[in-house]
Structure formats: structure tokens, C-alpha cells
Amino acid sequence: MSKTITATAVVAVLAIASPAASQDNTPPPILFTNANVFDGFSPDLIEGANVLVEGNAITQVSTDPIDAPNAFVVDVGGKTMTPGFIDMHQHVMLNPPEGTAAYQTRWDDAAGGAIALQYMNDHMLMKGITTVRDIAGDPLDIAKAIDMGLVRGPRVYSSGGAIGQTGGHSDWAGRNVPPATLENGQDMGQLTSNTWVTDGVDDVTRAARLNFRRGAAFLKVMGGGGVASEFDPLEILGLAEDEVARAVEIARDNGTYVAVHAYHDESYDRHLRLGTRSFEHGFLISEDMVKRMVAKYNETKDIVWSFQCYVSVNTFGSYESMPAFFTHEQKLKGVAVGEGVRAMSKWMNDYGMFIIGGSDMFSPGLVEKIKEDIVCPTSVGFSPAQALKHYTGNAGIVLKWSGPKDPYPTYHLGRIAPDSYADILIWDGNPLEDINLILDESKLQLVMKDGRAYKNTMVESDSIMYRPAVREPAVYP
């Protein structure tokens, strides 16, 4: 006989057991009933759905009754179920106050890891971001600790250290660091494996293979200048053609792909021709380049544009709104990005580009507001369903491009469907009607990752099953 209990009281039982629990402690199946489901793709909710979770996977989704006699039955009460969110452009190791320059002066990698874990729990996992694609930095040992159940945080797909040229967007050492320090990989960015300063095909080869040796799921390369770095105007190109070609070759040899940081047509053109698949930023590209990308996607289905909405539209919306650790020159670069983003994002939407969302929000003042990035596209013409799809279904498709380098290969991510990881959020309200409700943490009543509940406020606060996710904000002098 099945057991019915209040909302996710049962699910909270799963949070008691360690994710590394033995088979003897495997929790019973959970049958969610009466849920209105956003499956990660469709703009229409599946109303009155039943969802069966067995172990760490979703095994059935149906509007018909599901026969699961040994399951605990959880009546969702008509609330909205969505997949866990996936932030496809994160830098968890760069969260100390100085961002990319953090390890040059005040912090070591141990402090950086401690800050990363704090933020990954408080401002990612506990707020519904159950997976991140870390796209410059090396949190791979943190990811291993999370997977072993030693600490709490989202899943991590990592590129390992970003690969770029001397004086490019991956060169984070101070201006007066001796050249030999960079050449020998002895600056702190490279010693922590968060970035690589490369010159020539051999350097790129070595950096790429070191990343894959560490467990990287894909590669991140620098195709042009950036805002949060000191030496590189936005207009410059990054890795040379032969260097890009080698990075793409090594990624393909490993069954995975390359993502590129770039802003303008010439950079995007180089990478489109040479086989790069994930295109980050691009806020200064032309309408013609957008059309070329859409045509390539329609032909091959193997490229994606990654939209960092909040940073480009809001943070870079004015000189005054940019991070305090930026120099005057960096703030001017940010203003240029803010001026270009609205037109190019509209073209991407109008022409039907395949899009994912990634916050690029790190360091105090931004990381706390990551979910603003999910909401942001609705301010530039996207529907709530599109915005959620960028962070769920579409993101899950791209994560699987890692092929044999996929650290979580068994099931799908970003969808409420059979053969998917049981990453589930339950909302008191319908984010397809009012996406801003996802910013109200009281509306997020269940956070489940990998079949275990980390937040549960669907029961009364005096219940032993109550799992709040309230954290006092950090205060910096």
C-alpha cells in the first residue's frame, strides 16, 4: 500500500541520508502527484501530472495514474514543478572580491575554494541552481567532493583553466610580473590552474591536455578582448587561427567541444569557420553575423549562443553600475558592451538562434543575484518560457555535447522527463505567467538535486521535516 504524506515531507527524508549512502540506505521511490509541470521545453505546463522518482532519476511522467505501490506519494497541490536551473556561464573560483585578480595579492587557492563552496551552497544550490557549467577556473576537486557527498553544492561541468594568449583575456597577472613568470606558468592564475597563458600551438596543446587530464568536460578559449581583464581592448583577436584549430582538434579527439569568449564579428568568424561550438557574449557582432550563426545552426544543430543577460544589460548598463574592482578602462569597455547587447540579442531571438543562459555573475554584489540573469531576457523581448528554457532544456542538451568527457553521463539534465536526473524545483506560483516570482525565495518550496531534498518549506516551520534555506548575507567592510 502506498503512503501519502504532506507535500515534500517525505522528500526531506532523502536529505537526511548522505548522497554517498550505501545501497542498504537507498530511499524508496517518490511519487509526486497533482503537479503542473514545465518540462524544460514546452511553453505550456503539463497540468495535473504525476512524476515518479526512483533513486536519483525521474522514471515516469504522466497525466495518467502511475502504478508505484511501494512509493511515498507526495501531493504537490497544483503547484508548479520545473527542472533545476543550470547556469551555463559561471566562474565559481573567482568569487573573492577582486574577481580575476583575486589570487595575486590577498587570497590563496584554499581561501578561494572556501568562498566558492559557501556561494555554491547559499546562492546556487539552495536557490535552485542545481548544475553549473564553470567556464574558466578549476573547481574540479570541489566538484569531486560534492559528488562524494562531503560538501553540498551544484553539479559542476568545468572547462578547467581558460586558454588564451599573453596579454589576452586569460592573462590575469599584474602588469609588472616578470615575463619569465608567465612563460613558466608561475603566476598565481596558472599555479591555481584557473587560467593558462599560451603562445603558440604547442602551448595550447599542453594546456588543453592538462585540462582534460584534470577532468575538464570541454575547453574554454579566449577569442578576443574582455571587460574584466587589464591588457586587452575588446577589438583585438585572441588565439591565432592555428592555435584555435589545435584547441578544436584536441577537443574533438576527446569527444567534446570548445567554447569561446569573444565579442565582435572577426572573432566569431574565426571560430565559426574553425569548429568552435559554444559562442559566449558576442554583444558587438552584426546582424549579418547573427544570420550566419542561425544558418549554421539550422544546417548542423551543433552550435549555440550563450547569453549573459544581466551583466551586459544591467551591470554594464552604465559606468556607475559596474563592479568597484574594475579600472576606468575596464568600465569603458563595459559601457561599449552595454550599448551593443540589446540589438544583437533581439536579432538572435528574431532569427531563431539556439540559446542557453549563463550568468557570468561572480564576486560579492553579483553572485547573490544570479537568478536575475534568468529573469533578464524578458526585459529584452524573450518570453518567460524562453528564458526558463535557456536555463533548463537547452542547457541540458549542450551539457551532453561533452560526450565521453561528460562527468554525469547516465541521464539527461534540465528536463522533467523519464531518464533524467531528479533535479526538481517546486514553486508556489507559475513562473511562466510571472517569471519574477523565481526571485522570491519564499516561493521556492522544494529544491531537489539527484533525488535528495536540500530545501523543503512545504511543511510547517515546526515540523522536523522543515528545511529552510535562509542565510544571512555576507557583510564586507
Side-chain angles (χ1 to χ4, degrees), residues 364-406:
L366 284 176
V367 68
E368 300 92 337
K369 301 189 290 186
I370 285 175
K371 288 200 293 188
E372 295 273 7
D373 190 70
I374 307 173
V375 171
C376 176
T378 63
S379 71
V380 290
F382 293 85
S383 70
Q386 286 177 303
L388 293 175
K389 185 179 176 182
H390 298 167
Y391 261 79
T392 56
N394 285 3
I397 290 171
V398 174
L399 292 178
K400 292 303 169 183
W401 290 357
S402 290
K405 289 295 183 179
D406 183 352

Side-chain angles (χ1 to χ4, degrees), residues 1-3 27-31 52 67-73:
M1 180 180 296
S2 65
K3 285 178 143 182
I30 303 290
L31 178 59
L52 183 64
D67 183 22
N70 297 318
F72 285 102
V73 178

Side-chain angles (χ1 to χ4, degrees), residues 309-332:
C309 184
Y310 184 86
V311 169
S312 57
V313 172
N314 296 89
T315 304
F316 294 170
S318 70
Y319 186 95
E320 292 74 22
S321 63
M322 279 179 284
F325 62 83
F326 277 13
T327 65
H328 171 68
E329 290 76 15
Q330 288 171 330
K331 290 181 178 181
L332 292 180

Side-chain angles (χ1 to χ4, degrees), residues 184-219:
N184 295 322
Q186 295 300 300
D187 64 288
M188 287 306 297
Q190 295 185 90
L191 285 174
T192 56
S193 300
N194 284 314
T195 191
W196 299 110
V197 179
T198 61
D199 294 299
V201 169
D202 290 346
D203 277 4
V204 171
T205 301
R206 182 69 171 161
R209 288 177 175 160
L210 284 171
N211 281 342
F212 285 135
R213 184 180 187 272
R214 286 276 296 148
F218 63 103
L219 297 179

Side-chain angles (χ1 to χ4, degrees), residues 426-473:
I426 293 178
W427 304 90
D428 185 11
N430 181 0
L432 294 183
E433 293 179 350
D434 178 14
I435 195 171
N436 289 296
L437 74 82
I438 72 169
L439 305 179
D440 182 349
E441 297 306 326
S442 70
K443 301 294 186 183
L444 177 56
Q445 298 194 323
L446 172 72
V447 175
M448 174 183 276
K449 175 200 154 196
D450 214 32
R452 287 173 169 79
Y454 291 87
K455 178 181 180 180
N456 172 23
T457 61
M458 296 181 73
V459 295
E460 297 298 325
S461 60
D462 59 355
S463 168
I464 63 170
M465 300 301 182
Y466 184 69
R467 295 288 186 275
V470 177
R471 297 288 186 275
E472 292 298 323

Side-chain angles (χ1 to χ4, degrees), residues 234-235 283-284 316 322 331-341:
L234 295 177
E235 296 81 5
F283 302 126
L284 304 179
F316 294 170
M322 279 179 284
K331 290 181 178 181
L332 292 180
K333 291 191 286 186
V335 169
V337 168
E339 291 174 350
V341 62

